[in-house]
Amino acid sequence: MTDGVAERSRPRDRILETAQDMFHKHGIKGVGVDAITEAAGTNKMTLYRHFESKDELIIECLRATAAKASRIWDEFEAQHPGDKLAQLHAWVQKASQLLSADSRGCDMANAAVELTETDHPARRVIKELKEAQREKLVALCRDAGIGQAELLADTLSLLLEGARVSMQSVGAEGPSAQFVRMAESLIASFRAR
C-alpha cells in the first residue's frame, strides 16, 4: 500500500488491509497491534474503536479473505456459464496460479495452525469458512457429473493443502509443481468411474 493510498482510505479499512497483509507475511502471532497501527498510519485508540480486540481484527481479516475467495467462485461461473466441468478445471488452474504466486499458503490454514487454543474465537470462523469452501467444491463436483463428488472434493482439497505445505517447505520445484497434473488425473479418474 502506498502512502497516498493509505492517506486516502478510511482508518478502519487501512487497519484491516494492513493487518491482512502483515498477518499473511509474518503470521498472526508475529504481528502486534503496535506494528499494525504504525504501518496503517493510525494509533491503538483508533484500532480499538473499530475492533474490540486483536482477536476481532483477526476474525475480520479472515472474513475478508473468505469474501475474496468467494468472488473467485463467481469468476468461474462468469467465465464458464453453466459448464460445471469447465468450472472445475478452472478451479484447478486458479489453485495452481495461487500456489505459484504466493508461497505463504492459505491464510485460513495458517491461522488454524497458529491459533492453538481450541476455544480461540477465530477457530470457529475458520471452521465455518473452510466448511463453506468444501461445500462449494462438493457441489461443483456433483454438478459436473462426478459420481463420488464428496470424495473427489475432499481429495482435491487435501491435495491443494499438501501442495501449499510443499511449496512452503521445499519451494516451487518440489511436489507442488505437479499439482495440475495430479488434480487433472484425479478428475479424469473420478469421471471414468
Side-chain angles (χ1 to χ4, degrees), residues 6-172:
E7 290 172 12
R8 289 191 301 267
S9 62
R10 294 179 20 220
R12 184 184 193 286
D13 296 337
R14 280 197 327 265
I15 292 166
L16 189 59
E17 290 169 15
T18 301
Q20 279 184 278
D21 182 57
M22 293 180 81
F23 290 157
H24 182 76
K25 288 179 181 171
H26 308 292
I28 290 171
K29 301 259 181 176
V31 178
V33 293
D34 289 329
I36 293 168
T37 57
E38 182 179 335
T42 188
N43 57 49
K44 285 169 68 170
M45 185 186 322
T46 302
L47 184 144
Y48 289 122
R49 187 176 330 127
H50 294 285
F51 305 95
E52 190 174 296
S53 63
K54 182 180 176 185
D55 289 345
E56 184 181 325
L57 177 59
I58 292 166
I59 289 168
E60 288 303 311
C61 286
L62 294 172
R63 286 190 174 130
T65 297
K68 187 191 300 184
S70 186
R71 288 190 294 274
I72 292 171
W73 291 93
D74 296 339
E75 289 174 19
F76 298 152
E77 179 62 40
Q79 292 166 354
H80 309 283
D83 187 344
K84 299 303 181 180
L85 185 57
Q87 291 175 35
L88 183 57
H89 293 298
W91 180 91
V92 171
Q93 291 302 317
K94 186 64 169 185
S96 177
Q97 290 169 8
L98 293 172
L99 276 170
S100 299
D102 183 5
S103 64
R104 282 291 298 142
C106 172
D107 290 340
M108 299 289 171
N110 292 344
V113 170
E114 277 195 75
L115 303 172
T116 58
E117 308 88 357
T118 56
D119 61 340
H120 192 286
R123 290 191 66 82
R124 179 181 47 80
V125 173
I126 294 165
K127 182 176 188 278
E128 289 170 3
L129 297 173
K130 281 289 197 180
E131 286 174 345
Q133 289 293 310
R134 178 189 182 269
E135 289 171 17
K136 286 181 181 185
L137 188 54
V138 168
L140 183 56
C141 290
R142 185 176 298 116
D143 294 345
I146 305 296
Q148 293 180 300
E150 286 190 29
L151 183 58
L152 176 58
D154 289 344
T155 304
L156 289 170
S157 293
L158 289 173
L159 178 63
L160 178 56
E161 294 291 343
R164 287 173 170 151
V165 172
S166 175
M167 180 68 88
Q168 287 187 34
S169 59
V170 296

